[in-house]
């Protein structure tokens, strides 16, 4: 606010707040993630049975804390995908769904964010950074992704031990479709 003095009266008028700019996270010397609170939980790198371009990424809060995701970033190895999260708040065991291009990659579930760019089916990596560019999670591929099936469109998902596996069915894992859709809209209030 700035003061405006006119004939002995003082009024406060709002000023434009400086925009907070997310840092440009570097892919060099990322190191290894150490005890992440948020993970890359499920990735439809192959798209869906409807279309190969209906890719999506799901994050999960595996901590017991509320995590503010403002300025967190997801970057792929060639920087054709750079997602900077806005004002998302993720409660314990909740999910954040990011869909490519528009909100119809995962039917009947509202995306929390939309991204552009495409996931390569091979020779790809995804990096998840927190708001100060500390690596939280990553997945790297060489000739192929560690899990998922391009023909059947079964996604790549995390197990409880945080290893990657191919989902039992195509589409988003059923466990998360029922009763856990509070994702980033979670609030303790």
């Amino acid at each position: 606010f700035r003061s405006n003095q006119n004939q002995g009266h003082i009024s406060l008028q709002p000023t434009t707040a400086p925009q907070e700019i997310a840092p440009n996270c570097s892919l060099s010397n990322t190191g290894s993630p150490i005890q992440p609170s948020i993970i890359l939980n499920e990735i439809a790198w192959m798209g869906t049975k409807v279309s190969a371009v209906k890719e999506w990424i799901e994050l999960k809060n595996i901590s017991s804390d509320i995590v503010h995701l403002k300025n967190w970033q997801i970057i792929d190895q060639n920087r054709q995908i750079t997602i900077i999260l806005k004002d998302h708040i993720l409660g314990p065991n909740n999910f954040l769904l990011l869909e490519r291009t528009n909100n119809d990659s995962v039917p009947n579930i509202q995306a929390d964010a939309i991204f552009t760019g495409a996931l390569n089916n091979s020779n790809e990596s995804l990096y998840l950074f927190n708001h100060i560019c500390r690596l939280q999670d990553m997945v790297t591929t060489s000739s192929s992704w560690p899990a998922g099936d391009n023909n059947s469109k079964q996604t790549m998902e995390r197990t409880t031990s945080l290893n990657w596996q191919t989902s039992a069915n195509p589409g988003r894992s059923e466990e998360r479709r029922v009763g856990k859709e509070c994702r980033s809209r979670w609030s303790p209030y």
Side-chain angles (χ1 to χ4, degrees), residues 35-39 60-68 72 90-94:
Q35 296 182 341
S37 56
I38 306 294
I39 61 168
K60 181 180 182 182
N61 182 349
I62 60 171
S63 77
S64 59
D65 298 320
I66 298 167
V67 179
H68 297 265
W72 282 52
L90 206 55
N93 294 309
N94 284 175

Side-chain angles (χ1 to χ4, degrees), residues 124-152:
E124 181 67 281
S125 298
L126 281 177
Y127 303 90
L128 173 64
F129 294 96
N130 69 8
H131 66 289
I132 56 172
C133 291
R134 287 200 180 125
L135 184 65
Q136 298 298 297
D137 197 9
M138 64 187 263
V139 59
T140 59
T141 70
S142 53
S143 60
S144 62
W145 288 87
D149 189 296
N150 193 29
N151 294 322
S152 67

